[in-house]
Amino acid sequence: MSLSFLGLRQPFELGVTSQELLGFQYVPLTRPKEIRVLYFDEKADQTTDGLIALRIAHITLAEIKENHRKYTALSYFWGTGAKDKVVKINGLGFKVTSTLESALRNIGNTDASGLFWIDAICINQNNVPEKNTQVAMMGEIYAAASVTLVWLGECNPAISEAIDMLEEARVFHNDFGVPAIDLNHTINDLNYNSVWQGVHVLLAVPWWRRMWVIQEIALGQRAMILCGTKTLMFQRLALGAEFAFKQNDMKHIFPVCENGFSNYWRVYTLMQYRMRKQEGNPILLQELLENNVSCEASDPRDMVFSLFGLATNTGGAPELTVDYGLPVEEVYLNIVKFHIREYESLDMICHGAHPKRHRNLASWVPDFSNLKETTSSSLATFSKSWPGNLYWYNASGTSIPNNDALAHGPGILRASAIFVDKIAHVGEMCWPGRFSELFKCLASWNSIIGASIGFERDYIGGGPVIDAFNRTICGDKARSGLRAPRGWRGLEALEEGIDIPNDFRLGPEVADEVRREAWVGDALQAVALRSHRRSLIITKTGYIGLGPPEVQEGDLVSILLGCSVPVILRPKGESWWFVGESFVCGIMDGEILKNTDIAGKETKSPGHEFASQQYHVEQISLV
């Protein structure tokens, strides 16, 4: 293969070596937007040692565009396995993981040819300045690649059948001009057949949990899946996932896979990001963080660095620079700084929960590396760019954070707070692995409210107490994100004393759009989604709400100016510990601040018998 024909530079100079390279030496990248690319060494004799032989060369992104060069960007699961395999690069040894070695062998057995970009090889992982520069370019690298090739591992008969099904299914454009896939006949014919289980197995491989996947799929010109030697265009898999995702009854697709729904949702959302990027629609960093909490990265800094190339609101932000020389705590703090400065909002601090994996983080700085283990569905949502008349909380009205919020030291957040009430009762944390467990938890909460407040009296925020409870357990939202209609009666059966309700019903005033979703699954999912990993809280004056797992009796329900949801605070000396976000029925829409002169630092309670209660705005420090 002629280097001059490829427009590549062969790196003859000696570079920096390391113990992992077994003789191979990197040559520094010196030109603007320069990258390394690989290709199979056709002249190498692989029969003697059986090692994969590659050649490496340098080229700039400008040269790729000018010379119309094409290359394939490989996406695969890094994992934490040892680099126990050896390949040859320019005739010299280089250690790789078994996953990458397997991917390279299978690529060599397909029709794929030409140039490849593989981050583990093309970036000198031991050179921090180079890694900073190359990772900052990753968005451009994937966008310039003609194909993003996704290696999902070896194939098996079930996966092979699933790929064949998706490959052969008819793809058409629906009445709205949107691509769709026709799998009705397949589902009807196969029902519980292993083919759909094969699709699930395909979507359950570790690759889907990678944080980098989001950028790699969304930015590539084309995305193709490689499993063994079988290939499938990513769009076909995504359309199949969308088809399954939109089915009302998922049991015929997931007869033995309880977590199948989330796997299908994952591939569906990846395709949505891809479409939004191609259409030029904004994709906010905070939205990407919120919607991908189940993802993982081998380096905790990549939980945010991996999103910079896709997010449309990060350009030029001084806080958002890829720098692997920074400690994890500073990287995560910078995300909060960016959001406070750019959006005049404290909502980003609600994105985290306890316990934190990185113990040196301030209580109000999210630990993005372990959100999967600690967080619930976010209340202070960042996805407000979504279409539709969805319900967004607005507990602090139009107020904004303090101008000097971050001017008192790296671990201190200065805020204006209104202490609403002290928590008097805490119910068990809801962990609904199964709906039967959810019902038992809700029955326990129902008993606590009956014993501490009673259902005969009016709720402090207005209306019957049972209505406040019904609205609390779903966060006052239907599954769709629309506000729960007046008369939402999700726990009527519990109100009547039945331990495990057989039905969830919506009230008579429900809107037509919600009524179409008013089947049992809608209410079940709405309640499970918002109650998951949350505890019932009841305040001293009778407010009912949902608090984070770490909430304790004696903690304070508080409103922070510039934060869209109430938060739970705990005194720590003269400062305050941020416990987490909360839902409190009756104060989610700015009721505490209505008819309030914030400058006067005084407001009245929105309650009835507590109308004489006065609240004060206080300056506090969160640590």
Side-chain angles (χ1 to χ4, degrees), residues 395-396 416-420 557-561 563 565-567 587 592-593:
S396 66
S416 298
I418 300 173
F419 297 120
V420 178
V557 173
S558 311
I559 302 291
L560 299 181
L561 300 192
C563 187
V565 299
V567 301
I587 67 171
I592 295 291
L593 298 179

Side-chain angles (χ1 to χ4, degrees), residues 2 56 104 119 189 201 204-205 214 272 279 343 345 359 378 406 412 439 485 487 566 612:
S2 170
I56 196 167
L104 288 168
D119 54 359
D189 292 343
V201 172
V205 300
I214 308 163
Q272 293 301 306
E279 294 169 357
Y343 295 95
S345 168
R359 301 302 177 89
S378 295
L406 297 168
I412 299 174
F439 295 143
S612 60

Side-chain angles (χ1 to χ4, degrees), residues 343-530:
Y343 295 95
E344 295 187 321
S345 168
L346 294 180
D347 281 358
M348 184 59 74
I349 72 173
C350 296
H351 201 55
H354 301 280
K356 299 179 187 293
R357 185 175 295 163
H358 296 88
R359 301 302 177 89
N360 292 329
L361 284 168
S363 67
W364 49 275
V365 178
D367 188 341
F368 296 104
S369 69
N370 73 333
L371 295 183
K372 179 181 179 181
E373 290 80 21
T374 60
T375 59
S376 311
S377 174
S378 295
L379 297 172
T381 183
F382 307 121
S383 304
K384 298 182 181 179
S385 58
W386 287 5
N389 188 27
L390 303 184
Y391 172 41
W392 310 112
Y393 303 126
N394 193 28
S396 66
T398 59
S399 63
I400 61 175
N402 293 11
N403 290 331
D404 62 345
L406 297 168
H408 300 270
I412 299 174
L413 177 67
R414 193 72 172 162
S416 298
I418 300 173
F419 297 120
V420 178
D421 206 355
K422 182 177 291 188
I423 295 174
H425 304 280
V426 176
E428 65 178 280
M429 185 178 69
C430 189
W431 195 281
R434 296 178 182 273
F435 284 133
S436 60
E437 297 171 4
L438 171 64
F439 295 143
K440 291 177 182 178
C441 178
L442 297 179
S444 170
W445 291 0
N446 187 77
S447 298
I448 293 174
I449 292 176
S452 60
I453 299 178
F455 290 103
E456 298 76 20
R457 58 181 286 184
D458 288 338
Y459 182 60
I460 183 174
V465 170
I466 187 62
D467 283 356
F469 181 38
N470 284 337
R471 305 183 78 77
T472 295
I473 60 177
C474 65
D476 206 9
K477 291 185 181 183
R479 179 188 63 171
S480 61
L482 295 169
R483 187 162 195 171
R486 299 298 100 184
W488 174 276
R489 301 168 69 184
L491 280 179
E492 185 181 56
L494 276 181
E495 179 187 2
E496 296 171 355
I498 300 176
D499 289 336
I500 300 179
N502 296 315
D503 187 23
F504 279 60
R505 295 191 293 276
L506 300 180
E509 301 177 15
V510 61
D512 288 343
E513 184 173 357
V514 178
R515 187 181 297 279
R516 287 194 294 270
E517 296 184 338
W519 55 299
V520 174
D522 177 77
L524 283 173
Q525 291 184 33
V527 174
L529 183 65
R530 277 94 198 201

Side-chain angles (χ1 to χ4, degrees), residues 53-207:
L54 303 169
R55 303 293 296 179
I56 196 167
H58 295 192
I59 191 170
T60 68
L61 293 180
E63 290 171 340
I64 289 172
K65 183 176 181 180
E66 292 169 2
N67 298 326
H68 305 289
R69 300 307 314 156
K70 294 182 179 181
Y71 65 91
T72 297
L74 180 66
S75 175
Y76 68 101
F77 178 64
W78 271 47
T80 57
K83 295 181 178 180
D84 54 1
K85 299 292 183 179
V86 176
V87 299
K88 286 183 177 180
I89 301 178
N90 293 356
L92 302 172
F94 187 94
K95 282 189 174 182
V96 297
T97 63
S98 58
T99 303
L100 178 51
E101 198 262 359
S102 178
L104 288 168
R105 287 197 182 280
N106 281 274
I107 291 172
N109 293 328
T110 67
D111 295 333
S113 61
L115 305 177
F116 292 89
W117 184 87
I118 303 173
D119 54 359
I121 300 177
C122 295
I123 299 176
N124 185 351
Q125 302 293 328
N126 298 308
N127 185 323
V128 172
E130 177 183 307
K131 188 176 179 181
N132 292 341
T133 301
Q134 291 286 293
V135 170
M137 291 169 52
M138 292 262 283
E140 297 175 79
I141 292 171
Y142 275 95
S146 57
V147 178
T148 298
L149 188 63
V150 177
W151 169 247
L152 294 185
E154 300 296 341
C155 202
N156 62 39
I159 292 177
S160 180
E161 275 191 279
I163 290 176
D164 289 342
M165 176 192 72
L166 293 169
E167 186 65 45
E168 295 169 6
R170 184 174 70 94
V171 174
F172 65 97
H173 285 75
N174 61 23
D175 295 339
F176 301 98
V178 177
I181 196 166
D182 180 13
L183 292 173
N184 281 300
H185 68 286
T186 306
I187 287 180
N188 293 334
D189 292 343
L190 298 174
N191 202 21
Y192 291 88
N193 192 281
S194 62
V195 172
W196 271 108
Q197 294 182 38
V199 174
H200 177 81
V201 172
L202 189 66
L203 296 179
V205 300
W207 179 85

